[in-house]
Amino acid sequence: MIKKYSSLLIFIAIEISIALISLSNSVPNDSVLTTLFLIVAPALYYVLTKKKQTEFTFWFVFYSVFKITPYIFKMEGNIFEVIFEWKIYLNSAFLIFLLWKGFQFIRNFRKAVQQNDTIEKDEYDIISDTLKKAIPFKKLGKMISFEVCSFYYCFIKWSRNKSDTTRFSGYRESGVSAVYMGLMLVSVVEAIGVHMLLVAWNSAVAILFLVLHVYLLINLTGHLKAVFFRAHLVLSQKIIIRYGLFDTLEIPLDSINMIQKFEGDYEKSNELVKFALLGKLEPHNISIELKESRTVTLPFGITKDPKRILLYIDNANDFIKTIKDKIEEPKTFETVSLKREKSM
């Protein structure tokens, strides 16, 4: 990981060194240091990372350098003095250009993800697997994966994947969307009241609280949209459970001990996992009991090894029937084969 970002770390170290030299006043001419800081170092970074980083990354770095330059170097007598007299307009132009580059980056990223989308792997799986491979620390990779997927579904994902007869949704009849919408509305009203109180006490704390609240709303919105766009699959050999920003769970059909409708209360335990971010606030109508424990990854990298799984399926009866039919298919085939052998 350090090797991957070595160019960025070297660039930051060079910029910090130039800034410290300028602040120490050891060099009389600030124009030279400003040129090194604003032009030479970013250009060197671009050359070293041209094949590794996206164009958006470079322009973001350059914009950041441009923003902090007038706060570090003296502009009086500096060759860049005239340029920074117009910094308000230049900042606006850079910001618009950066937003355009960001839009292009998101559009291309979305196309690339959709091209790799298959029946068994959706956008969440592709993004999550890529990040987990790029980050050597397993738990950290899962946590970052949750955050990135949260922003992806909140801001980028707006269209459904191709429908299939084996797909089963879990939000149309559950009322989960109303629960999340109500929760977000209440949290916004509460946040406004708390924010007004904090502003009167400490503006810095108020801003921090606002940032955390916006972050929470992004996570909730991303999770809810992921619930809409990610559907459960029943294939010939396995079930693929997809719920919001929970990791995809694959259950082989031969590992299922029993599947039935279940809407009653339950006791929390390490051998039970419910696919619901809000726990008992969300309904469930399916219970799947496994022959052996299976690892389930929850949001933020939390893992459990349950033998029983609860979830909500809109067409619960069709879901159970489809799974039982898939389980019975090999048995039926074996029975037919035996009858043919006996008759022969």
Side-chain angles (χ1 to χ4, degrees), residues 256-267:
I256 297 175
N257 185 39
M258 182 174 63
I259 179 170
Q260 62 180 354
K261 291 187 72 175
F262 177 77
E263 298 180 2
D265 196 10
Y266 62 92
E267 293 183 5

Side-chain angles (χ1 to χ4, degrees), residues 4-256:
K4 184 179 179 181
Y5 297 105
S6 58
S7 300
L8 181 60
L9 294 173
I10 292 170
F11 167 75
I12 293 172
I14 292 172
E15 294 289 69
I16 291 173
S17 301
I18 296 171
L20 291 174
I21 293 171
S22 174
L23 293 172
S24 65
N25 296 320
S26 58
V27 178
N29 190 350
D30 271 338
S31 296
V32 175
L33 293 175
T34 308
T35 304
L36 292 172
F37 188 87
L38 181 63
I39 305 297
V40 177
L44 181 63
Y45 172 74
Y46 177 74
V47 171
L48 293 175
T49 62
K50 189 176 181 180
K51 295 181 179 180
K52 300 177 183 178
Q53 303 290 345
T54 63
E55 190 179 357
F56 170 75
T57 306
F58 165 73
W59 284 114
F60 178 78
V61 169
F62 182 74
Y63 177 71
S64 302
V65 171
F66 181 82
K67 285 284 290 182
I68 64 176
T69 297
Y71 298 101
I72 297 176
F73 301 94
K74 295 176 181 178
M75 289 293 112
E76 295 179 4
N78 197 312
I79 60 173
F80 296 96
E81 183 179 2
V82 177
I83 294 175
F84 282 100
E85 283 179 357
W86 299 84
K87 66 179 180 179
I88 295 176
Y89 304 104
L90 291 172
N91 276 331
S92 301
F94 266 125
L95 187 58
I96 292 170
F97 178 74
L98 192 62
L99 289 172
W100 169 246
K101 285 295 179 182
F103 171 75
Q104 287 184 320
F105 171 75
I106 290 171
R107 185 181 60 184
N108 295 333
F109 175 75
R110 186 182 178 187
K111 285 182 180 179
V113 170
Q114 288 178 341
Q115 287 173 358
N116 293 323
D117 184 24
T118 62
I119 294 176
E120 295 188 22
K121 283 188 176 291
D122 63 354
E123 291 97 325
Y124 178 91
D125 296 318
I126 295 165
I127 296 170
S128 181
D129 291 346
T130 302
L131 289 171
K132 287 174 185 176
K133 289 177 182 177
I135 300 169
F137 306 104
K138 193 174 181 181
K139 287 193 174 182
L140 180 62
K142 290 177 180 178
M143 292 173 67
I144 294 175
S145 171
F146 175 83
E147 301 299 339
V148 172
C149 290
S150 176
F151 276 78
Y152 175 80
Y153 278 93
C154 183
F155 297 109
I156 301 176
K157 177 70 173 174
W158 294 102
S159 59
R160 295 186 180 280
N161 297 342
K162 295 178 181 179
S163 60
D164 193 274
T165 54
T166 59
R167 294 178 184 266
F168 292 89
S169 61
Y171 66 91
R172 289 190 173 91
E173 301 172 9
S174 65
V176 67
S177 56
V179 173
Y180 276 88
M181 293 293 185
L183 178 65
M184 286 189 279
L185 182 61
V186 170
S187 67
V188 168
V189 174
E190 183 181 359
I192 292 172
V194 176
H195 184 72
M196 292 176 67
L197 293 173
L198 289 174
V199 167
W201 174 61
N202 190 311
S203 59
V205 175
I207 293 171
L208 178 62
F209 176 79
L210 179 63
V211 170
L212 291 175
H213 188 262
V214 171
Y215 164 76
L216 175 64
L217 289 177
I218 290 172
N219 277 339
L220 289 175
T221 305
H223 176 73
L224 181 59
K225 285 183 66 180
V227 171
F228 294 160
F229 291 130
R230 305 188 72 209
H232 310 295
L233 298 179
V234 179
L235 304 179
S236 59
Q237 302 290 330
K238 59 187 175 183
I239 310 170
I240 298 179
I241 304 296
R242 295 170 177 161
Y243 174 77
L245 297 176
F246 282 57
D247 256 17
T248 300
L249 174 64
E250 295 186 1
I251 304 176
L253 294 178
D254 57 8
S255 69
I256 297 175

